[in-house]
Amino acid sequence: MADRALRGMQIGAKSLESEDGVVFADRFIVRYACPNGHEFEVTLSSEATAPATWECKCGQSADLIGETVEDEEDKPVKPQRTHWDMLLERRSIEELEVVLTEQLSAYREGRLRPEGSYRKG
């Protein structure tokens, strides 16, 4: 079995291609500081806009040092959809009252099954 082993370079160890003629993308470095005193640098593309905050290695939100970042345009924020909102998209109030009445009567009569659907049909 050992005589069939691959010889030479390890798989994925190093590339045989050189960096001659390779044009790297323009980059810039921004610095962030977190409330725990950590300071770190992040390299971004020159086409990117540096975000005002970045997550630190300790899990805290770190603020951009130096530049003031313009706030994104004030886009209208959609309110968070609740379970009730999604339910009203599928059923009317009248239908929900019928379902509630059926479920309450089944509960009072002891017909509710723990393994799944309570309604027939």
Side-chain angles (χ1 to χ4, degrees):
M1 182 88 161
D3 58 336
R4 288 191 260 162
L6 292 175
R7 301 204 184 251
M9 293 185 59
Q10 297 174 350
I11 297 175
K14 292 187 171 62
S15 173
L16 296 176
E17 295 182 21
S18 69
E19 295 180 359
D20 296 338
V22 175
V23 178
F24 293 104
D26 293 332
R27 297 175 264 184
F28 68 100
I29 296 174
V30 291
R31 293 187 54 79
Y32 289 91
C34 84
N36 292 338
H38 301 124
E39 288 191 15
F40 56 94
E41 296 178 342
V42 177
T43 304
L44 299 173
S45 168
S46 62
E47 299 172 358
T49 303
T53 60
W54 195 276
E55 185 176 346
C56 180
K57 62 183 177 185
C58 67
Q60 295 290 325
S61 179
D63 294 324
L64 182 64
I65 298 175
E67 300 179 24
T68 56
V69 178
E70 298 176 13
D71 293 333
E72 294 181 10
E73 295 179 17
D74 294 330
K75 296 179 183 176
V77 179
K78 294 171 87 177
Q80 184 175 1
R81 289 174 49 200
T82 63
H83 179 71
W84 179 249
D85 295 331
M86 290 184 270
L87 190 61
L88 288 177
E89 291 174 3
R90 296 190 309 269
R91 299 187 186 261
S92 67
I93 296 291
E94 293 79 23
E95 290 175 317
L96 291 172
E97 287 175 354
V98 170
V99 172
L100 177 63
T101 305
E102 290 175 1
Q103 291 297 307
L104 287 175
S105 66
Y107 175 73
R108 290 179 182 131
E109 295 169 7
R111 293 185 289 127
L112 295 181
R113 298 184 313 243
E115 67 269 358
S117 175
Y118 304 120
R119 295 183 65 210
K120 293 182 181 178

